[in-house]
Amino acid sequence: MLELVVEQAHAQGLLVLADAKRGDIDVSATAYAQALAGETPTPFGTVAGLGADAFTASPYMGLDSLRALRAPAAGLFVLVRTSNPGAADVEDLATDGGERVWERVARLVHGLGTPGRASGLHDVGAVVGATAPEHLARARELMPHTPFLLPGIGAQGGRVEDLAPAFAAGRSAGLVTASRSIVGAYEHHGGEPAQAARREAERLRALAWSLG
């Protein structure tokens, strides 16, 4: 089913970001990247991967794992400060140097990316939850050229209006993601489900672009 969704999305000219949250030792990480966004060599020939244009990754195996996850012609978004309430249990803990764990991860992500020639934005992005907008200004300070993937809008309680720091580097520097609030838009606003979802997605896009 996921392969079919990717195929249909590409047929419509859309990019696909797989929220895979992968992370493992370098050998396994390379295989994950091949399966999600590349091709996997096998004794029986080369097998095409899912075809995702980008995917999310966990940083807690370190830089060697993240480097191995980078696939040719595919984007990588690293979990920095996530949108779930339990993020505070680990990501907000103080390190020996005085900064929080997520701030240390942010520094690693900034160092991992390289800027694009036209946009100046790095080719490695960061997942920064929209449910804790008080961290956005600091995250942007630590990662001035990193694209932010911003989950948590809608059902989780995040608001697009609070995300201005994420767009400090321009419109392309922030990618707002919403799922349940779009899929269930017809339940709150009425109308045919597909049209209600489209209206909600367009509303969120207009709000986001007004901040950049």
Side-chain angles (χ1 to χ4, degrees), residues 49-212:
L50 180 65
D53 300 290
F55 56 93
T56 57
S58 170
Y60 294 106
M61 295 289 283
L63 277 175
D64 58 342
S65 175
L66 290 176
R67 291 189 178 114
L69 279 166
R70 298 190 66 178
L76 184 67
F77 286 85
V78 180
L79 305 181
V80 173
R81 210 296 176 176
T82 53
S83 60
N84 58 307
D89 297 339
V90 174
E91 296 165 14
D92 288 355
L93 294 178
T95 67
D96 289 343
E99 62 185 0
R100 288 164 289 190
V101 168
W102 74 260
E103 291 175 304
R104 173 58 179 157
V105 174
R107 292 184 189 278
L108 294 178
V109 171
H110 174 70
L112 191 63
T114 55
R117 294 178 182 176
S119 68
L121 294 175
H122 283 190
D123 57 356
V124 176
V127 179
V128 184
T131 53
E134 66 273 15
H135 296 311
L136 282 174
R138 176 60 174 160
R140 182 50 78 200
E141 178 184 351
L142 293 169
M143 301 176 288
H145 308 296
T146 299
F148 285 3
L149 179 65
L150 302 156
I153 293 297
Q156 291 187 58
R159 297 176 352 116
V160 174
E161 297 91 328
D162 298 330
L163 305 181
F167 295 89
R171 282 184 175 181
S172 299
L175 179 60
V176 173
T177 172
S179 300
R180 283 173 286 173
S181 58
I182 292 177
V183 172
Y186 72 99
E187 298 175 348
H188 300 283
H189 307 295
E192 194 271 330
Q195 291 303 315
R198 181 187 183 97
R199 285 193 296 271
E200 178 62 8
E202 290 177 341
R203 184 186 73 84
L204 293 174
R205 180 179 62 186
L207 273 175
W209 281 8
S210 71
L211 301 175

